[in-house]
Amino acid sequence: MANYTKVSVKAEGRAELHDKLGLTGAEVSVNSLPAGANVPFVHSHKENEEIYAVLAGKGTAVIDGDGVALSAGDWVRIAPAAKRQFFAAPDEGITYLCIQVKEGSLGGYTMSDAVL
């Protein structure tokens, strides 16, 4: 059995990778909103922080009532309790990656977690 899983994902709507990749420590999704569209709900989390990476386009995240302009190359970390909603710009769509992990769970990273 291989120690990796590879999938291809089309950047249309929303694709959650938890089941597709057999993830055990994170949820990752690829999201696309066409120009003028938005995520139709405001949400927060109980335990999980979210890290958003804007891959293409532009839009706005409303986080606890603050409008945060987003464009390709931007990264945003949002604490679990923060209320959030995402909007594409009126004239341009947005594609972003969302990584969801339990806040405070990182025990090691990069070289501190590597086995050489």
Side-chain angles (χ1 to χ4, degrees):
M1 182 164 111
N3 285 325
Y4 65 90
T5 304
K6 178 187 175 206
V7 298
S8 292
V9 176
K10 304 275 188 231
E12 299 172 2
R14 179 177 172 87
E16 293 184 355
L17 302 181
H18 179 266
D19 290 335
K20 293 178 188 220
L21 289 173
L23 301 176
T24 63
E27 172 61 283
V28 178
S29 63
V30 181
N31 306 268
S32 291
L33 296 170
N38 62 278
V39 173
F41 54 86
V42 175
H43 77 286
S44 62
H45 289 277
K46 296 173 187 171
E47 298 182 308
N48 294 338
E49 65 187 7
E50 290 181 322
I51 302 97
Y52 291 88
V54 181
L55 303 176
K58 61 183 181 179
T60 303
V62 177
I63 306 167
D64 286 341
D66 294 334
V68 179
L70 300 172
S71 60
D74 288 346
W75 288 78
V76 180
R77 182 256 182 200
I78 303 177
K83 292 181 177 17
R84 68 212 69 176
Q85 186 176 20
F86 287 79
F87 299 81
D91 60 340
E92 186 174 349
I94 187 169
T95 299
Y96 58 91
L97 183 72
C98 177
I99 304 165
Q100 190 179 128
V101 294
K102 185 175 180 182
E103 184 178 46
S105 65
L106 185 62
Y109 55 92
T110 315
M111 291 308 291
S112 69
D113 187 54
V115 178
L116 302 177

